[in-house]
Amino acid sequence: MAALEKDIIRSQERVKKLHGFALFWAVVWARAYPRIIGALRQKSWLFFETVFPLMGVIGYIYVYRSVNAPQEYIGFVVLGGAMTAFWLNVLWSMASQLYWDKEDGNLEIYVLCPAPMMAILIGMAIGGMLMSATRAAVIIIVCSLAFGVVYNVGSIPLLIAVFLLTMTALYGMGMMFASVFLASGREAWHLANLMQEPIYLVSGFYFPVKALGALVATAASIVPLTLGMDGMRQLLFPSEQATGLMPVELEVVLLILLGVLFIGGAYFALRKLEQIGRREGRLIERRR
Amino acid sequence: MTLVQRLHNIPAVNQSPALRAFVTAAWLGWQIESNWARPFLFAVYVIARPISSVLILVIMYSVITNGATGEPIFAFIYFGNALYILVNSVVTGVSWAVIEDREHYRVAKQIYTAPMNTYAYLLGRGVARLIIGSVSVLITLTFGVLAFRIPLDINVLLFLAATIFGLASLSALGVILGAVTMQTARLQTDLGSLVSGGLYLFTGAIFPLDVLPSWLQPVGYLFPVTYWLEVTRRALLGAHAARFPTFAAFSDWGLIGVLALMTALLWLASGWVYSAALRRSKEEGLIDIETNF
């Protein structure tokens, strides 16, 4: 018996211990894995998460049609509708996720193992982007073809830069909110709800944000999507430049600053929350 | 004695397993929704979300029309969107309860092995959101009347009839989505929100169905929500309600008749779909799956 056990142990491949960046990188993909595999395993989400949101966005397009809006506004709705996918992902699958993980008992495992929490959050973001990007792509492709949206891209590299910076800052914000929502306990659900439509409004998802007035629009720029969508609209629809909130170059600089602020904020918020959680024994409590 | 105990002491409730399950679930849902949030946050949540959603449309409309809020089409859009809050609240309330019980509180096994009517239980879980949604609708409509001077001309009887059948149809739709949710993983966005968002397109909530291509317009006739929105607008706005060709042939009570018929059919369908979903969930071992990835 003892010999058999010895053989079994010998036959198993030893797991190599990772440190530093290698560990960080492995954790990112370990956390992204269940999201990607989960999405591939039950594909019904492809229907639910693309067809119904697509119908909702088309609904907003017809609102503009019912009041004879210029064709360019259809493009604004398409872009805004596509970006809702990322905002919802940040709210429900990033910001609220640590709270759900705590309730499910995963959070204590995260904290007990040597995995960096930042890597776990980045993994969540990468895994969640699969669904969001699919939803966004379907909305853009179908609506653009069906409603004849014409894009006049001035600078493709700048457009890509604005998008990537927006995503970085946005998901950084989601990572920071994950700690805030976790601290808020059972109110997390209300907080996430509270930040859905109000952010659609102040960030100008379906209309040029400048329509809210310079003061409100500038204040709303703390949400990276406000600046990101304004910049992308200016680059995709050149006449939007007259109604853009600020020059695209300035928006790029602000998005970089927001990215640094939110990712740095997420790092410190996580550490602080972990300290408090350990001290008060709240990492493993479940208030059901 | 708490309100739920008093309700249980009513003979009709006490002797009906379905009503007992419904009342208990409604009470439970209310505890979950309200008790665990600070009153201020809860109040902001009830007010800010609906007002924001309606302001999105107000700004979209105003940007194009230079703020022509006196036009009948504005009242049409505003009231449609305000009333639609109830669609989202009721439908989501019922379907989300499945995820909450199954994956958050992990009590699905206890619920489905308890000697109670689980259809009535699921229906009851939607009541809390219905109450919150109703408050939100009231606030949003009042805001519209005060801020944009939307003229009211209320037909109380028509409004009550529309509300009863409208809510009944929404509840049945919620149960159907709850049944579907029993078969699916936890989605990024809950199924109720997805479907109610999607139905924006076909129900004439925020634009008249006439704007849709002619081949798509008949789809709108398939949903009770379409009739409920149209007749409720007429009940609240009276002669000020914008009339469009799609429903010109329907009288107010004719709309109620169609709504009542569709509601009855939807209730029958919800019972059948729920039973089938429950059976399949048991067969496939889906009752208590956790899919929080």
Side-chain angles (χ1 to χ4, degrees):
Chain A
M1 190 65 182
L4 184 63
E5 279 177 5
K6 211 173 176 183
D7 285 345
I8 290 169
I9 292 167
R10 272 189 193 153
S11 68
Q12 285 176 338
E13 194 181 336
R14 298 294 295 270
V15 177
K16 193 183 167 193
K17 276 187 188 172
L18 296 172
H19 300 279
F21 182 74
L23 174 65
F24 192 93
W25 188 246
V27 172
V28 166
W29 290 105
R31 184 61 189 90
Y33 177 83
R35 288 203 161 177
I36 295 167
I37 291 299
L40 296 176
R41 203 166 277 167
Q42 194 178 46
K43 296 186 181 70
S44 59
W45 70 270
L46 260 175
F47 174 76
F48 294 123
E49 295 270 7
T50 56
V51 174
F52 289 111
L54 178 68
M55 285 161 62
V57 172
I58 294 174
Y60 278 105
I61 290 175
Y62 276 110
V63 172
Y64 273 134
R65 287 239 163 139
S66 69
V67 290
N68 300 315
Q71 178 68 11
E72 205 166 48
Y73 280 81
I74 309 295
F76 297 170
V77 170
V78 172
L79 183 67
M83 298 307 277
T84 57
F86 296 105
W87 179 239
L88 289 174
N89 183 237
V90 162
L91 267 190
W92 295 104
S93 300
M94 289 288 297
S96 315
Q97 187 62 39
L98 283 188
Y99 166 70
W100 276 86
D101 280 335
K102 178 176 151 183
E103 295 289 294
D104 283 351
N106 285 337
L107 184 67
E108 60 206 57
I109 298 169
Y110 294 159
V111 175
L112 281 173
C113 73
M117 280 299 283
M118 284 294 280
I120 288 172
L121 286 172
I122 292 170
M124 260 184 218
I126 290 172
M129 272 191 196
L130 171 72
M131 277 189 186
S132 310
T134 308
R135 175 169 163 171
V138 168
I139 288 172
I140 287 180
I141 292 167
V142 174
C143 290
S144 300
L145 292 175
F147 294 95
V149 179
V150 178
Y151 301 98
N152 295 306
V153 188
S155 165
I156 292 175
L158 190 55
L159 181 68
I160 292 170
V162 171
F163 177 76
L164 291 178
L165 286 171
T166 305
M167 288 298 111
T168 307
L170 181 68
Y171 278 86
M173 188 186 205
M175 287 158 68
M176 194 175 83
F177 278 174
S179 302
V180 177
F181 278 39
L182 181 61
S184 65
R186 287 178 295 210
E187 285 176 342
W189 196 88
H190 290 312
L191 276 174
N193 258 312
L194 196 57
M195 296 181 76
Q196 201 167 304
E197 273 82 0
I199 296 296
Y200 288 171
L201 173 68
V202 298
S203 292
F205 273 70
Y206 298 109
F207 51 81
V209 70
K210 210 176 177 182
L212 292 169
L215 193 67
V216 177
T218 307
S221 299
I222 192 73
V223 180
L225 278 172
T226 311
L227 293 172
M229 278 191 298
D230 190 70
M232 285 188 274
R233 279 177 180 149
Q234 290 187 60
L235 292 166
L236 290 168
F237 310 102
S239 70
E240 160 74 353
Q241 282 185 344
T243 52
L245 181 61
M246 56 186 84
V248 180
E249 291 75 13
L250 179 58
E251 287 175 332
V252 166
V253 173
L254 290 175
L255 281 170
I256 293 171
L257 291 176
L258 284 178
V260 173
L261 175 75
F262 287 134
I263 292 171
Y267 178 74
F268 286 108
L270 271 176
R271 286 189 57 166
K272 189 73 187 167
L273 196 82
E274 194 178 325
Q275 279 172 10
I276 295 171
R278 283 179 192 275
R279 194 172 60 227
E280 298 182 3
R282 286 168 56 185
L283 285 175
I284 54 171
E285 69 164 5
R286 270 163 229 153
R287 291 186 190 178
R288 288 182 177 161
Chain B
M1 189 182 281
T2 61
L3 177 63
V4 70
Q5 286 169 327
R6 281 183 193 158
L7 287 171
H8 275 157
N9 286 340
I10 297 170
V13 175
N14 197 22
Q15 287 162 21
S16 162
L19 279 178
R20 276 206 313 272
F22 179 83
V23 167
T24 308
W27 172 81
L28 174 65
W30 180 251
Q31 298 300 313
I32 291 171
E33 291 291 330
S34 63
N35 269 9
W36 294 344
R38 281 168 291 173
F40 176 73
L41 179 71
F42 188 61
V44 172
Y45 156 65
V46 171
I47 297 167
R49 195 175 174 189
I51 295 285
S52 300
S53 76
V54 86
L55 281 181
I56 290 170
L57 286 165
V58 169
I59 292 170
M60 286 172 72
Y61 176 86
S62 300
V63 163
I64 303 303
T65 63
N66 289 320
T69 54
E71 298 292 323
I73 182 79
F74 177 76
F76 178 95
I77 293 173
Y78 190 96
F79 269 50
N81 193 57
L83 293 167
Y84 206 80
I85 293 167
L86 271 182
V87 179
N88 190 41
S89 302
V90 176
V91 169
T92 305
V94 177
S95 60
W96 180 246
V98 172
I99 297 287
E100 268 188 336
D101 288 342
R102 189 180 75 189
E103 307 205 15
H104 190 191
Y105 302 112
R106 296 179 183 174
V107 291
K109 270 189 282 199
Q110 286 84 341
I111 287 168
Y112 291 103
T113 52
M116 71 169 178
N117 183 326
T118 51
Y119 178 94
Y121 167 83
L122 196 57
L123 211 55
R125 285 294 307 274
V127 170
R129 295 273 187 97
L130 166 66
I131 294 168
I132 295 166
S134 302
V135 173
S136 298
V137 171
L138 194 65
I139 290 168
T140 311
L141 291 180
T142 308
F143 179 74
V145 170
L146 295 177
F148 304 110
R149 300 187 186 285
I150 296 174
L152 286 180
D153 181 8
I154 302 172
N155 180 337
V156 177
L157 197 61
L158 188 65
F159 176 72
L160 284 176
T163 305
I164 290 166
F165 290 117
L167 292 182
S169 67
L170 291 177
S171 307
L173 181 61
V175 172
I176 290 174
L177 294 180
V180 176
T181 305
M182 288 165 79
Q183 317 294 309
T184 62
R186 182 188 154 205
L187 300 166
Q188 177 180 294
T189 315
D190 67 273
L191 191 60
S193 296
L194 287 169
V195 172
S196 64
L199 288 183
Y200 245 20
L201 179 59
F202 294 114
T203 53
I206 49 175
F207 59 86
L209 284 181
D210 307 64
V211 182
L212 285 176
S214 54
W215 60 273
L216 264 182
Q217 287 175 22
V219 179
Y221 291 116
L222 298 174
F223 300 106
V225 178
T226 314
Y227 301 90
W228 172 64
L229 288 173
E230 176 67 17
V231 74
T232 308
R233 277 195 195 101
R234 291 187 190 182
L236 292 174
L237 295 167
H240 307 291
R243 306 267 172 154
F244 296 97
T246 31
F247 286 106
F250 289 86
S251 68
D252 296 350
W253 289 100
L255 284 170
I256 292 286
V258 177
L259 178 60
L261 181 67
M262 295 189 92
T263 302
L265 291 174
L266 203 59
W267 267 82
L268 287 173
S270 73
W272 182 80
V273 172
Y274 180 76
S275 300
L278 189 59
R279 190 171 56 246
R280 185 175 181 275
S281 299
K282 287 177 178 174
E283 283 170 2
E284 304 285 328
L286 300 172
I287 284 282
D288 60 342
I289 54 164
E290 285 182 36
T291 55
N292 180 27
F293 45 79

